[in-house]
Amino acid sequence: DRAIKAAKAADTRLKTVVPNKKLKTAAQRMGSLVQKSQEGQTKGNLGALRGQLAIYYGTNEGNYPKKSLKEILGKDMAALPTVQAADHPETNAVEYYGDEICGGSEINAAKLKDTGKWGYVKDEKSKCWGTVFIDCTHKDSKGTAWYKY
C-alpha cells in the first residue's frame, strides 16, 4: 500500500513538472504500471477473500455468512482486505445484496449500486447466496468490468 501510494504521488509530480515529451511519455507509462499494480492487488485481495469464504463454508456445514461478511474473519484473516477499482476510493467496506442482484448464474450489472466496495449476497434463499464480488461496473485496464471477476 505504501509503495503504491508513493508511486502515485511520484507519478502526479512527474506529470506536472516534466516538460520533456519523452519524459512525459515515461511518466505516463509509470502511471499505467501503478494502475496495473493496484488492479493486481485488488484482484489478489478478491482471491484471498474468496479463499477465506470457502474455508468458512467448509467449516460451517455448507453455510455462508448470513449477517456480515466479517463473519469469515479469524486467525487466517484479521480484517477484510481492501478493494480499489476504477475511480472509487480504496476501502474494505461491503455492500450487501439480496436475490435481486442475481441474474441467472451471473451478477446482474443493472442492479449494482456501483459503490466500489466489496459486494456480497447474504440472502440465504438466493440462488447466488455467498457470492463475493467487486461492486463496480467500470472496466479495468484490460477492458473487463470489475464485477465480472
Side-chain angles (χ1 to χ4, degrees):
D1 282 343
R2 288 182 188 169
I4 290 173
K5 289 177 183 176
K8 279 173 107 177
D11 178 54
T12 302
R13 287 191 298 272
L14 277 173
K15 286 179 181 176
T16 58
V17 300
V18 178
N20 183 311
K21 193 172 187 176
K22 287 183 181 180
L23 289 176
K24 281 187 179 181
T25 301
Q28 290 170 343
R29 286 185 185 149
M30 183 178 167
S32 175
L33 290 174
V34 169
Q35 177 186 3
K36 287 178 182 179
S37 174
Q38 290 169 334
E39 289 177 357
Q41 180 178 358
T42 292
K43 292 171 190 175
N45 287 350
L46 177 60
L49 196 54
R50 286 180 172 158
Q52 189 67 20
L53 186 61
I55 292 168
Y56 180 94
Y57 181 85
T59 58
N60 286 277
E61 301 175 9
N63 288 304
Y64 292 108
K66 297 175 185 174
K67 296 178 184 175
S68 168
L69 193 55
K70 290 183 179 181
E71 291 175 49
I72 68 171
L73 299 178
K75 65 179 180 176
D76 297 325
M77 183 179 282
L80 294 176
T82 59
V83 57
Q84 184 175 13
D87 294 331
H88 299 288
E90 185 175 23
T91 183
N92 69 346
V94 181
E95 188 66 35
Y96 293 100
Y97 287 96
D99 189 51
E100 77 282 355
I101 197 70
C102 302
S105 62
E106 295 184 3
I107 297 296
N108 182 346
K111 303 284 184 170
L112 288 175
K113 298 173 187 170
D114 193 34
T115 63
K117 300 175 184 178
W118 296 119
Y120 178 67
V121 181
K122 69 176 189 173
D123 181 355
E124 64 184 291
K125 294 177 183 168
S126 172
K127 56 188 162 262
C128 56
W129 176 36
T131 301
V132 64
F133 58 95
I134 300 168
D135 185 23
C136 179
T137 57
H138 299 89
K139 295 181 178 177
D140 67 1
S141 62
K142 294 181 179 180
T144 302
W146 279 102
Y147 73 91
K148 290 188 174 185
Y149 285 103

